Amino acid sequence: MKFEKRSLRDRILHCLKQPRYQPLDVVDLSKALRIDSDNRREVRETLHAMEQEGVIARIRKDRYVLPDIANLATGVLLVHQNGAAHLENEKRDQPDIYISAADTGVAMRGDKVVVQLLHEGRQQARDGKARLEGRVIRILERANKTVVGVFQISAKGVVCVVPDDGRIQHDIYLLPAHKHAARPGDKVVVKLDPWEDRMANPEGEIIEVLGPAAAPGVDMLSIMRKYALPIEFPEDVLKEASRIPGEIDESEAFRREDLRGQPVITIDPDDARDFDDAIHVERIKGGWRLGVHIADVSHYVRPGSALDREARKRGNSTYLVDRVIPMLPERLSNGICSLKPGGDRLTFSAFIDFSQDGRIKFARFARTVIRSAARLSYRQALAILNGARTMPPLPAAMEHEAARGQATIADGPEIPIDPAIAERVRVAWELALALRKSRFAAGSLDLDFPEVKVWLDGEGHAVRIEKMVNDISHQLVEECMLSANEVVAREIKQKRSPGVYRIHEDPDPKRLLEFRDFAATYGFRAGDLTQRREVQKLLASVQGAPEEFAIKLGFLKSLKRAAYHIDPLGHYGLAKQNYAHFTSPIRRYADLLVHRTLADIVSPPTMRPGEKQLHRAQPEGVAELASTARHISETERSSADAEKDSVHLKKMEFFERQISAKKPQPFQASVVDVRSYGLFIELPSINVSGLIHVSDLADDFYFFDPVRLTFTGRKTRRMYKVGDSLEVIVSRVDVRKRQIDFMPVAEPRARQQARPGRRGSGPQRGRVTRRKE
């Protein structure tokens, strides 16, 4: 007898929930379910899948129980720089669990693990409140089978690799029998052997030598290996892409709503390479009509094709400092699917009518064909909105230098503004302004962090850091895209079609309470933060303050992470009940899935011979979609971490080069926290955090006041406190620990060069221990 996996899962859960259930292994559980030995393999596979998902847990002697009964939790291990960690619980309604460095066992960053809960209160938060604590008892799945690091040979002849990731506390020993071509100082990739004893260093074998650590490009290559990011597309994917015509089929255009006569425009960054969204806004009686036109990638990337399999595997494009690792080959992403001006392109469109106060009155969807009338950069759109008569040109060599982070602002003459295009931009901003007002009135939270772009020279070295301001030109596009995403999600939900939603669940009230206490340490008082209006008030109160970055970051850490899910669980940050990703199918697989779902609703496509429908009503189809949602949530996280790493690495390189050149650039900094060992500062112009160690306050001997949180000079009586602004230069950089130390600019340069990076154990100058961050 053959059982469907879904019904078998239900039967297993029903059995484990029985009051008199005693933990059983595979054989005994099969007998209890009256499943014969011929189907035992299917039982084993189903149990394994359920264990991986955290639905059930395996205890001693390979017996299965419900996690809650055995005081167990399953999730992903997130390790901090000091070796401690916390478990991101698989169950969305459960809080994260703290794990001390000693209790992580042989688990590493990103591993899926089973944790046994310990008694509450052993680990204390900064505010003194107890948190859940646990101990890793089993590794379900290793996140990484390889580690990237620097090859070294000690004075005693010990051959090892020092991991780049400071959160890996052990060096990787290499067996003498393993031959390799690495030299001391080379970046290498090590394949890990099974590691079961925390008291012994893990061992491994070098499988790739990336080159000298300081060689150009090796740093980014190391990040790509660390996060297992692909470099090239498989041959079958490229062949399939090459067969896609470079021009649209006119017969296909005939079957679509023709918008080629509409004044559609795109607005993107200066260095954008692909253009997957275009807009058209017009005034109508009582409000506005918005058209959001998105590249119809689903027309070219069919379910089950080589392109589709590779896109799902990648999950999304990844944007490192010096390159883009695209989800789709360039022939699509920068070719037939890119909404370049003057060319006919197939699109999927959302048409939305709004009232004067920004409320949605009506929405419809159609597969369309457009011809973009103009491509504007954000700087050009901003010039139009500021009333300028001319606008800056686009940067030269956009296709190549921009892709490597090397594009510069064009020095050419300003170009005249087309009055018709300018009017479209102004009307679009009128609508966007109404939408922003409506959205924040409904409780949406301002959680935007300004992005920082690192510009590189021809050899890939960081030469400039620029803060990208989220001005009104960005907000214009953002509001249009948010509206399209909302109406698409609502349509899928109303039609009860299986789809993938973008979710951001409500935060745990306990975490909000902890954050409120955290904000109070900076002097910001708040009411009940489970009330959205109180959150808005607090975020508004910190706007422009020196502590703004620290407070916002602390709030983000108290929230759950946004993810993809097959249930419309709502979006807390945006205050929207229905939300999905529809507007970027070139770079996100989730959007491609949403396009397919919407296409099935709007106009079910004619299936080609041998194709299968992706979205099926059968349970197996829903399970497949749920699995894909989990997968692309993980790839998104991995890409985000890689992107963050690449930016941070280049920021640190920028400051290292300043020290080497002995010409540190002064930056304006704000004091955001004061501890016994120094001042924590933010450089708001480039979003960099660092420490002024008390030993670098060299103009006097400073005393720490633990009550007022100040440092006061014994002779000068100069005081440093939270909120102070001062000019600083870099003094030390520790790439592996991800630490940057600064010093007041008045410090004599000679002292900066002479002082080594020493660490002590007390609050006296030169004898202070640096806290591990």
Side-chain angles (χ1 to χ4, degrees), residues 150-191:
V150 178
F151 176 70
Q152 290 186 355
I153 302 176
S154 71
K156 296 182 179 180
V158 177
V159 182
C160 67
V161 172
V162 179
D164 284 353
D165 192 338
R167 293 167 293 184
I168 300 177
Q169 302 290 301
H170 299 76
D171 295 344
I172 314 298
Y173 284 179
L174 305 175
L175 298 179
H178 292 163
K179 296 181 179 180
H180 49 76
R183 298 178 179 179
D186 280 352
K187 279 286 180 72
V188 298
V189 182
V190 178
K191 181 181 178 181

Side-chain angles (χ1 to χ4, degrees), residues 354-373:
F354 295 94
S355 63
Q356 288 284 2
D357 57 359
R359 290 181 294 106
I360 298 171
K361 297 168 59 179
F362 170 78
R364 73 178 182 90
F365 312 92
R367 302 187 96 159
T368 54
V369 57
I370 69 166
R371 182 183 298 142
S372 175

